[in-house]
Amino acid sequence: MFAMVILLLPFAENKIIPIGHSHSISLFDGCFLLVSLVWAAVLVKTRTIFNPIQNNKKFLLFLGVGGALTLNNAVSIGFDFSPSMVNPLILASGLIFAAASFAILLDPNRDLPKSAYRYSTLMAMFFWAVLIWVRTIQYSHYRKVTLYHTLTFPFIDSRQTALFIALATLVGISCALITKRKSLIYFLLPVATLSIAQTGARSVMFLFILAWAGFLAAMSVLEYFRTRSLPPELSTLLLSTLLSAFLLLVTLDPNGMRSLSLFQHSLMSILTGEADPYRGDCWRSLLYYYFFGTDEEFGRLRNSPFFTAPHNTYLEYLVKFGVSSVILLVLFLGTLIGFNTTALLKNKNSSWMPLHAATLMGLLMIAGLLYAYPIFQVRFLWVFFGFTGAVLSLDPSDNRSLPGPKIIPTDAV
């Protein structure tokens, strides 16, 4: 049943169930909450829930910081059903999804890398079919639905689609290396690259390319310092990268060109918003009015599009909740990023090392995209947080009977 619910992830933002006068949840929300409640009842009945809580203090710290962030924001605006993406209700429900995903995925009887690989491969096949459909369909009414031949389905926004593909690909390729199915990397990466390009999401494509480069660098550097040689998988990864670049250039269309357009700008112009005039004007106005503006000027700003859609989560938290909220937000993301970095370095000798590298790059992608786009309302983001916590908890260097490679201590040889 959980597998069926997970398959609904791409449709989470489209299948809506109305509850009350002005609020709604997705079909995935309802199914996932139902499954997680049943799972929690089973864990409580069998008393197996206490061991995961006791043995996984890292993820509990992440949830604790998230709870503090939620309460801090609630003090400022209160809990309500407004559609704002910084609404504390979104954070609170997201934390529930992260905790439920963590509890469900933390199953000693499940081979997590194999399950993640199968899911990522299935999603790649799904988006390959959608990509062919979007690129070949000629009916004008469908072109309008897909925003003039961009790939948005099954999400409501092309950046959500692109981020989902990027995260699934990073996890899928790392698990392909762990499960020794390297040949399908030649399928996973090209499909992901072409699909992200077809969304036209500039920020996601820019971050995905940087994350992929970081993934290759992390694997190469750690393996080189361990064995004084490059990893044998590097040739497969580099060839699949070249194949992806070749297919992207051959099939490049206006959407693909747009997705690569950020590479025409310097990193400083991207960070300051000069690469996008709207974002640049928006960020400068918000910063000025927050630190130097009068109450009258700030009142006018609250009614402007800049205040309602700043396209920068960090800046949005600063303006609406203050410095304390931004600090808690950075700590919230920093806990998982820090724990993943530590796990990557600690498990550099383990065959699970690619998965730690992939989850770390995925978290850095999320942190970077929050700088350009508010995404906390997207459910698969919280499921990814829960998945990351499960990966940390199923650390093969732990002396517990869990699936995955085991490391033999050197003093026992």
Side-chain angles (χ1 to χ4, degrees), residues 1-10 28-40 96-107 110-112 115-116 119 122-123 379-380 382-384 386-388 390:
M1 186 175 182
F2 174 69
M4 294 177 61
V5 172
I6 287 294
L7 289 176
L8 291 174
L9 264 175
F28 174 77
D29 289 3
C31 292
F32 197 95
L33 285 176
L34 176 62
V35 171
S36 61
L37 287 174
V38 173
W39 182 259
I96 293 174
F97 271 76
S101 304
F102 170 72
I104 293 174
L105 292 170
L106 192 63
D107 184 354
R110 179 183 291 114
D111 190 336
L112 191 60
S115 299
Y119 179 79
L122 185 62
M123 288 296 102
R379 288 304 184 215
F380 70 78
W382 298 95
V383 175
F384 182 77
F387 173 82
T388 303

Short mmCIF file of all heavy atoms in Angstrom, two decimals, residues 1-10 28-40 96-107 110-112 115-116 119 122-123 379-380 382-384 386-388 390:
data_model
loop_
_atom_site.label_atom_id
_atom_site.label_comp_id
_atom_site.label_asym_id
_atom_site.label_seq_id
_atom_site.Cartn_x
_atom_site.Cartn_y
_atom_site.Cartn_z
N MET A 1 0.83 -1.21 0.00
CA MET A 1 0.00 0.00 0.00
C MET A 1 0.86 1.26 0.00
O MET A 1 0.55 2.24 -0.67
CB MET A 1 -0.92 0.00 1.22
CG MET A 1 -1.92 1.15 1.23
SD MET A 1 -3.09 1.02 2.60
CE MET A 1 -4.11 2.43 2.26
N PHE A 2 1.97 1.21 0.75
CA PHE A 2 2.85 2.38 0.77
C PHE A 2 3.42 2.64 -0.61
O PHE A 2 3.56 3.79 -1.04
CB PHE A 2 3.98 2.15 1.78
CG PHE A 2 5.01 3.24 1.77
CD1 PHE A 2 4.69 4.50 2.22
CD2 PHE A 2 6.28 3.02 1.28
CE1 PHE A 2 5.63 5.53 2.21
CE2 PHE A 2 7.22 4.03 1.27
CZ PHE A 2 6.90 5.28 1.73
N ALA A 3 3.77 1.55 -1.34
CA ALA A 3 4.30 1.73 -2.69
C ALA A 3 3.27 2.43 -3.59
O ALA A 3 3.63 3.30 -4.39
CB ALA A 3 4.68 0.37 -3.27
N MET A 4 2.00 2.09 -3.44
CA MET A 4 0.96 2.74 -4.24
C MET A 4 0.85 4.22 -3.90
O MET A 4 0.66 5.06 -4.77
CB MET A 4 -0.37 2.04 -4.00
CG MET A 4 -0.44 0.60 -4.51
SD MET A 4 -2.01 -0.20 -4.12
CE MET A 4 -3.16 0.86 -5.01
N VAL A 5 1.00 4.53 -2.61
CA VAL A 5 0.93 5.94 -2.20
C VAL A 5 2.11 6.72 -2.75
O VAL A 5 1.96 7.85 -3.25
CB VAL A 5 0.88 6.03 -0.66
CG1 VAL A 5 0.99 7.47 -0.21
CG2 VAL A 5 -0.43 5.43 -0.16
N ILE A 6 3.30 6.14 -2.68
CA ILE A 6 4.50 6.82 -3.18
C ILE A 6 4.37 7.10 -4.68
O ILE A 6 4.85 8.13 -5.18
CB ILE A 6 5.75 5.97 -2.89
CG1 ILE A 6 6.08 6.03 -1.40
CG2 ILE A 6 6.94 6.45 -3.69
CD1 ILE A 6 6.49 7.41 -0.92
N LEU A 7 3.73 6.21 -5.41
CA LEU A 7 3.55 6.42 -6.84
C LEU A 7 2.67 7.63 -7.14
O LEU A 7 2.68 8.14 -8.25
CB LEU A 7 2.96 5.16 -7.48
CG LEU A 7 3.89 3.95 -7.58
CD1 LEU A 7 3.16 2.75 -8.14
CD2 LEU A 7 5.11 4.28 -8.43
N LEU A 8 1.91 8.09 -6.15
CA LEU A 8 1.07 9.27 -6.33
C LEU A 8 1.85 10.57 -6.18
O LEU A 8 1.28 11.65 -6.41
CB LEU A 8 -0.09 9.26 -5.32
CG LEU A 8 -1.16 8.18 -5.51
CD1 LEU A 8 -2.13 8.21 -4.34
CD2 LEU A 8 -1.88 8.36 -6.83
N LEU A 9 3.12 10.49 -5.80
CA LEU A 9 3.90 11.70 -5.56
C LEU A 9 3.83 12.71 -6.71
O LEU A 9 3.60 13.90 -6.47
CB LEU A 9 5.36 11.33 -5.27
CG LEU A 9 5.77 11.22 -3.81
CD1 LEU A 9 7.20 10.73 -3.71
CD2 LEU A 9 5.61 12.54 -3.09
N PRO A 10 4.05 12.30 -7.95
CA PRO A 10 4.01 13.30 -9.03
C PRO A 10 2.65 13.95 -9.21
O PRO A 10 2.55 15.01 -9.83
CB PRO A 10 4.40 12.48 -10.27
CG PRO A 10 5.11 11.29 -9.74
CD PRO A 10 4.45 10.99 -8.45
N PHE A 28 -2.98 12.85 -2.63
CA PHE A 28 -1.80 12.23 -2.04
C PHE A 28 -1.70 12.54 -0.55
O PHE A 28 -1.33 11.68 0.24
CB PHE A 28 -0.55 12.73 -2.76
CG PHE A 28 0.73 12.26 -2.14
CD1 PHE A 28 1.17 10.97 -2.33
CD2 PHE A 28 1.49 13.11 -1.34
CE1 PHE A 28 2.35 10.54 -1.76
CE2 PHE A 28 2.66 12.69 -0.77
CZ PHE A 28 3.10 11.39 -0.97
N ASP A 29 -2.01 13.78 -0.17
CA ASP A 29 -1.98 14.14 1.24
C ASP A 29 -2.86 13.21 2.06
O ASP A 29 -2.45 12.67 3.09
CB ASP A 29 -2.47 15.58 1.44
CG ASP A 29 -1.48 16.60 0.92
OD1 ASP A 29 -0.45 16.18 0.37
OD2 ASP A 29 -1.74 17.79 1.05
N GLY A 30 -4.09 13.04 1.59
CA GLY A 30 -5.02 12.20 2.33
C GLY A 30 -4.58 10.76 2.41
O GLY A 30 -4.62 10.14 3.48
N CYS A 31 -4.12 10.20 1.28
CA CYS A 31 -3.66 8.80 1.27
C CYS A 31 -2.43 8.62 2.15
O CYS A 31 -2.33 7.65 2.91
CB CYS A 31 -3.36 8.36 -0.16
SG CYS A 31 -4.81 8.23 -1.23
N PHE A 32 -1.51 9.55 2.05
CA PHE A 32 -0.27 9.42 2.81
C PHE A 32 -0.53 9.52 4.31
O PHE A 32 0.02 8.77 5.11
CB PHE A 32 0.73 10.48 2.38
CG PHE A 32 2.14 10.19 2.81
CD1 PHE A 32 3.01 9.55 1.94
CD2 PHE A 32 2.60 10.53 4.07
CE1 PHE A 32 4.30 9.26 2.32
CE2 PHE A 32 3.89 10.26 4.45
CZ PHE A 32 4.75 9.62 3.58
N LEU A 33 -1.38 10.46 4.70
CA LEU A 33 -1.69 10.60 6.11
C LEU A 33 -2.41 9.36 6.64
O LEU A 33 -2.15 8.91 7.76
CB LEU A 33 -2.56 11.84 6.33
CG LEU A 33 -1.83 13.18 6.25
CD1 LEU A 33 -2.81 14.33 6.39
CD2 LEU A 33 -0.75 13.29 7.32
N LEU A 34 -3.29 8.78 5.83
CA LEU A 34 -3.99 7.57 6.24
C LEU A 34 -3.01 6.42 6.45
O LEU A 34 -3.04 5.72 7.48
CB LEU A 34 -5.04 7.19 5.19
CG LEU A 34 -5.80 5.87 5.44
CD1 LEU A 34 -6.59 5.96 6.75
CD2 LEU A 34 -6.72 5.56 4.27
N VAL A 35 -2.10 6.24 5.49
CA VAL A 35 -1.11 5.16 5.60
C VAL A 35 -0.18 5.39 6.79
O VAL A 35 0.14 4.46 7.55
CB VAL A 35 -0.30 5.04 4.30
CG1 VAL A 35 0.87 4.07 4.48
CG2 VAL A 35 -1.20 4.57 3.17
N SER A 36 0.24 6.64 6.98
CA SER A 36 1.16 6.92 8.08
C SER A 36 0.50 6.71 9.44
O SER A 36 1.13 6.25 10.39
CB SER A 36 1.69 8.36 7.97
OG SER A 36 0.64 9.30 8.05
N LEU A 37 -0.79 7.05 9.56
CA LEU A 37 -1.50 6.82 10.81
C LEU A 37 -1.63 5.32 11.11
O LEU A 37 -1.45 4.88 12.25
CB LEU A 37 -2.88 7.47 10.77
CG LEU A 37 -2.91 9.01 10.85
CD1 LEU A 37 -4.32 9.51 10.63
CD2 LEU A 37 -2.36 9.49 12.18
N VAL A 38 -1.95 4.55 10.07
CA VAL A 38 -2.03 3.09 10.25
C VAL A 38 -0.67 2.53 10.65
O VAL A 38 -0.55 1.70 11.55
CB VAL A 38 -2.55 2.42 8.97
CG1 VAL A 38 -2.46 0.90 9.08
CG2 VAL A 38 -3.99 2.85 8.69
N TRP A 39 0.37 3.01 9.98
CA TRP A 39 1.73 2.56 10.29
C TRP A 39 2.12 2.92 11.72
O TRP A 39 2.71 2.11 12.45
CB TRP A 39 2.70 3.16 9.29
CG TRP A 39 4.13 2.75 9.48
CD1 TRP A 39 5.14 3.45 10.08
CD2 TRP A 39 4.72 1.51 9.06
NE1 TRP A 39 6.31 2.75 10.05
CE2 TRP A 39 6.08 1.54 9.44
CE3 TRP A 39 4.24 0.38 8.41
CZ2 TRP A 39 6.96 0.50 9.17
CZ3 TRP A 39 5.12 -0.66 8.14
CH2 TRP A 39 6.45 -0.59 8.53
N ALA A 40 1.78 4.15 12.14
CA ALA A 40 2.11 4.57 13.50
C ALA A 40 1.37 3.71 14.52
O ALA A 40 1.94 3.34 15.56
CB ALA A 40 1.74 6.04 13.69
N ILE A 96 5.02 16.76 9.49
CA ILE A 96 4.30 15.50 9.67
C ILE A 96 4.63 14.54 8.53
O ILE A 96 4.88 13.35 8.74
CB ILE A 96 2.78 15.76 9.74
CG1 ILE A 96 2.45 16.54 11.02
CG2 ILE A 96 2.01 14.45 9.69
CD1 ILE A 96 0.99 16.97 11.10
N PHE A 97 4.67 15.06 7.31
CA PHE A 97 5.00 14.21 6.17
C PHE A 97 6.44 13.71 6.25
O PHE A 97 6.73 12.56 5.92
CB PHE A 97 4.79 14.98 4.87
CG PHE A 97 3.41 14.85 4.32
CD1 PHE A 97 2.37 15.56 4.90
CD2 PHE A 97 3.13 14.03 3.26
CE1 PHE A 97 1.08 15.45 4.43
CE2 PHE A 97 1.84 13.91 2.77
CZ PHE A 97 0.81 14.63 3.35
N ALA A 98 7.37 14.58 6.68
CA ALA A 98 8.76 14.16 6.81
C ALA A 98 8.89 13.06 7.85
O ALA A 98 9.59 12.06 7.64
CB ALA A 98 9.63 15.36 7.17
N ALA A 99 8.22 13.23 9.00
CA ALA A 99 8.29 12.23 10.06
C ALA A 99 7.64 10.92 9.62
O ALA A 99 8.17 9.83 9.90
CB ALA A 99 7.61 12.77 11.32
N ALA A 100 6.51 11.01 8.92
CA ALA A 100 5.84 9.79 8.45
C ALA A 100 6.69 9.06 7.42
O ALA A 100 6.82 7.83 7.46
CB ALA A 100 4.48 10.15 7.86
N SER A 101 7.30 9.81 6.49
CA SER A 101 8.17 9.18 5.50
C SER A 101 9.35 8.51 6.18
O SER A 101 9.75 7.39 5.81
CB SER A 101 8.67 10.24 4.51
OG SER A 101 7.61 10.91 3.90
N PHE A 102 9.94 9.18 7.14
CA PHE A 102 11.08 8.64 7.88
C PHE A 102 10.70 7.34 8.57
O PHE A 102 11.43 6.33 8.48
CB PHE A 102 11.54 9.69 8.88
CG PHE A 102 12.56 9.19 9.87
CD1 PHE A 102 13.86 8.93 9.47
CD2 PHE A 102 12.22 8.99 11.19
CE1 PHE A 102 14.80 8.47 10.38
CE2 PHE A 102 13.14 8.54 12.11
CZ PHE A 102 14.44 8.28 11.70
N ALA A 103 9.55 7.32 9.25
CA ALA A 103 9.14 6.12 9.99
C ALA A 103 8.84 4.96 9.06
O ALA A 103 9.17 3.81 9.35
CB ALA A 103 7.92 6.44 10.86
N ILE A 104 8.21 5.26 7.92
CA ILE A 104 7.84 4.19 6.99
C ILE A 104 9.06 3.63 6.28
O ILE A 104 9.20 2.42 6.09
CB ILE A 104 6.80 4.70 5.98
CG1 ILE A 104 5.48 5.02 6.70
CG2 ILE A 104 6.56 3.68 4.88
CD1 ILE A 104 4.45 5.67 5.82
N LEU A 105 9.97 4.50 5.87
CA LEU A 105 11.16 4.06 5.14
C LEU A 105 12.18 3.39 6.05
O LEU A 105 13.03 2.63 5.59
CB LEU A 105 11.81 5.25 4.43
CG LEU A 105 11.00 5.85 3.27
CD1 LEU A 105 11.61 7.15 2.81
CD2 LEU A 105 10.90 4.86 2.12
N LEU A 106 12.11 3.68 7.35
CA LEU A 106 13.07 3.10 8.29
C LEU A 106 12.62 1.67 8.64
O LEU A 106 12.18 1.39 9.74
CB LEU A 106 13.17 3.96 9.55
CG LEU A 106 14.34 3.62 10.49
CD1 LEU A 106 15.66 3.86 9.81
CD2 LEU A 106 14.24 4.44 11.76
N ASP A 107 12.77 0.80 7.69
CA ASP A 107 12.34 -0.58 7.84
C ASP A 107 13.55 -1.49 7.64
O ASP A 107 14.09 -1.56 6.53
CB ASP A 107 11.24 -0.91 6.82
CG ASP A 107 10.69 -2.32 6.99
OD1 ASP A 107 11.23 -3.07 7.82
OD2 ASP A 107 9.72 -2.65 6.29
N ARG A 110 13.61 -3.75 4.59
CA ARG A 110 13.55 -3.21 3.24
C ARG A 110 14.95 -2.85 2.77
O ARG A 110 15.71 -2.20 3.47
CB ARG A 110 12.65 -1.96 3.19
CG ARG A 110 12.57 -1.34 1.79
CD ARG A 110 11.75 -0.07 1.78
NE ARG A 110 10.34 -0.37 2.00
CZ ARG A 110 9.66 0.02 3.06
NH1 ARG A 110 10.28 0.70 4.02
NH2 ARG A 110 8.40 -0.26 3.20
N ASP A 111 15.29 -3.29 1.55
CA ASP A 111 16.55 -2.91 0.93
C ASP A 111 16.35 -1.51 0.33
O ASP A 111 15.86 -1.38 -0.79
CB ASP A 111 16.94 -3.93 -0.13
CG ASP A 111 18.36 -3.72 -0.63
OD1 ASP A 111 18.85 -2.58 -0.51
OD2 ASP A 111 18.96 -4.69 -1.12
N LEU A 112 16.70 -0.49 1.09
CA LEU A 112 16.38 0.88 0.70
C LEU A 112 17.01 1.28 -0.63
O LEU A 112 16.33 1.86 -1.49
CB LEU A 112 16.79 1.84 1.81
CG LEU A 112 16.29 3.28 1.67
CD1 LEU A 112 14.77 3.32 1.64
CD2 LEU A 112 16.82 4.13 2.83
N SER A 115 15.04 -0.38 -3.48
CA SER A 115 13.70 0.20 -3.64
C SER A 115 13.78 1.58 -4.27
O SER A 115 12.97 1.91 -5.16
CB SER A 115 13.02 0.29 -2.27
OG SER A 115 12.87 -0.99 -1.68
N ALA A 116 14.74 2.39 -3.83
CA ALA A 116 14.88 3.74 -4.39
C ALA A 116 15.29 3.67 -5.86
O ALA A 116 14.83 4.48 -6.68
CB ALA A 116 15.91 4.52 -3.59
N TYR A 119 12.21 2.75 -7.94
CA TYR A 119 11.28 3.87 -8.04
C TYR A 119 11.80 4.94 -9.01
O TYR A 119 11.05 5.46 -9.85
CB TYR A 119 11.07 4.49 -6.66
CG TYR A 119 10.14 5.66 -6.66
CD1 TYR A 119 8.76 5.48 -6.72
CD2 TYR A 119 10.63 6.97 -6.63
CE1 TYR A 119 7.90 6.55 -6.73
CE2 TYR A 119 9.76 8.05 -6.65
CZ TYR A 119 8.40 7.84 -6.70
OH TYR A 119 7.55 8.91 -6.73
N LEU A 122 11.42 3.79 -12.57
CA LEU A 122 10.03 3.86 -12.98
C LEU A 122 9.63 5.29 -13.31
O LEU A 122 8.94 5.56 -14.30
CB LEU A 122 9.13 3.29 -11.88
CG LEU A 122 7.64 3.19 -12.19
CD1 LEU A 122 7.40 2.26 -13.38
CD2 LEU A 122 6.87 2.70 -10.97
N MET A 123 10.08 6.24 -12.48
CA MET A 123 9.78 7.64 -12.73
C MET A 123 10.46 8.13 -14.01
O MET A 123 9.88 8.94 -14.77
CB MET A 123 10.22 8.50 -11.54
CG MET A 123 9.37 8.33 -10.30
SD MET A 123 7.64 8.87 -10.51
CE MET A 123 6.82 7.28 -10.72
N ARG A 379 4.92 18.54 -1.53
CA ARG A 379 4.98 17.42 -0.62
C ARG A 379 6.19 16.53 -0.83
O ARG A 379 6.76 16.00 0.12
CB ARG A 379 3.70 16.58 -0.74
CG ARG A 379 2.48 17.25 -0.15
CD ARG A 379 2.71 17.60 1.30
NE ARG A 379 1.51 18.16 1.92
CZ ARG A 379 1.54 19.11 2.82
NH1 ARG A 379 2.69 19.63 3.20
NH2 ARG A 379 0.43 19.55 3.36
N PHE A 380 6.60 16.32 -2.08
CA PHE A 380 7.72 15.41 -2.29
C PHE A 380 9.01 15.95 -1.67
O PHE A 380 9.93 15.19 -1.39
CB PHE A 380 7.93 15.11 -3.78
CG PHE A 380 8.45 16.26 -4.61
CD1 PHE A 380 9.79 16.61 -4.59
CD2 PHE A 380 7.60 16.97 -5.46
CE1 PHE A 380 10.28 17.65 -5.37
CE2 PHE A 380 8.08 18.01 -6.24
CZ PHE A 380 9.43 18.35 -6.19
N TRP A 382 9.24 17.16 1.34
CA TRP A 382 9.25 16.66 2.72
C TRP A 382 9.47 15.15 2.75
O TRP A 382 10.09 14.63 3.69
CB TRP A 382 7.94 17.05 3.41
CG TRP A 382 7.79 18.53 3.50
CD1 TRP A 382 7.12 19.34 2.63
CD2 TRP A 382 8.37 19.39 4.47
NE1 TRP A 382 7.24 20.65 3.02
CE2 TRP A 382 8.00 20.72 4.15
CE3 TRP A 382 9.16 19.17 5.60
CZ2 TRP A 382 8.39 21.80 4.91
CZ3 TRP A 382 9.55 20.27 6.37
CH2 TRP A 382 9.16 21.56 6.02
N VAL A 383 8.96 14.45 1.74
CA VAL A 383 9.25 13.02 1.65
C VAL A 383 10.74 12.81 1.43
O VAL A 383 11.34 11.88 1.97
CB VAL A 383 8.42 12.38 0.52
CG1 VAL A 383 8.80 10.92 0.32
CG2 VAL A 383 6.93 12.50 0.82
N PHE A 384 11.38 13.69 0.66
CA PHE A 384 12.83 13.59 0.45
C PHE A 384 13.58 13.83 1.76
O PHE A 384 14.59 13.17 2.03
CB PHE A 384 13.28 14.59 -0.61
CG PHE A 384 14.75 14.53 -0.91
CD1 PHE A 384 15.27 13.51 -1.69
CD2 PHE A 384 15.63 15.48 -0.41
CE1 PHE A 384 16.63 13.44 -1.97
CE2 PHE A 384 16.98 15.42 -0.68
CZ PHE A 384 17.48 14.40 -1.46
N GLY A 386 12.43 13.08 4.71
CA GLY A 386 12.27 11.83 5.45
C GLY A 386 13.15 10.73 4.91
O GLY A 386 13.72 9.94 5.67
N PHE A 387 13.28 10.65 3.58
CA PHE A 387 14.16 9.66 2.96
C PHE A 387 15.61 9.88 3.38
O PHE A 387 16.34 8.93 3.68
CB PHE A 387 14.02 9.75 1.44
CG PHE A 387 15.00 8.88 0.69
CD1 PHE A 387 14.74 7.52 0.50
CD2 PHE A 387 16.16 9.41 0.15
CE1 PHE A 387 15.63 6.72 -0.18
CE2 PHE A 387 17.06 8.62 -0.53
CZ PHE A 387 16.80 7.26 -0.71
N THR A 388 16.02 11.15 3.42
CA THR A 388 17.39 11.46 3.84
C THR A 388 17.63 11.03 5.27
O THR A 388 18.69 10.48 5.60
CB THR A 388 17.65 12.97 3.69
OG1 THR A 388 17.41 13.36 2.33
CG2 THR A 388 19.08 13.31 4.06
N ALA A 390 16.13 8.59 6.78
CA ALA A 390 16.20 7.12 6.79
C ALA A 390 17.57 6.64 6.30
O ALA A 390 18.12 5.68 6.83
CB ALA A 390 15.10 6.54 5.91
#
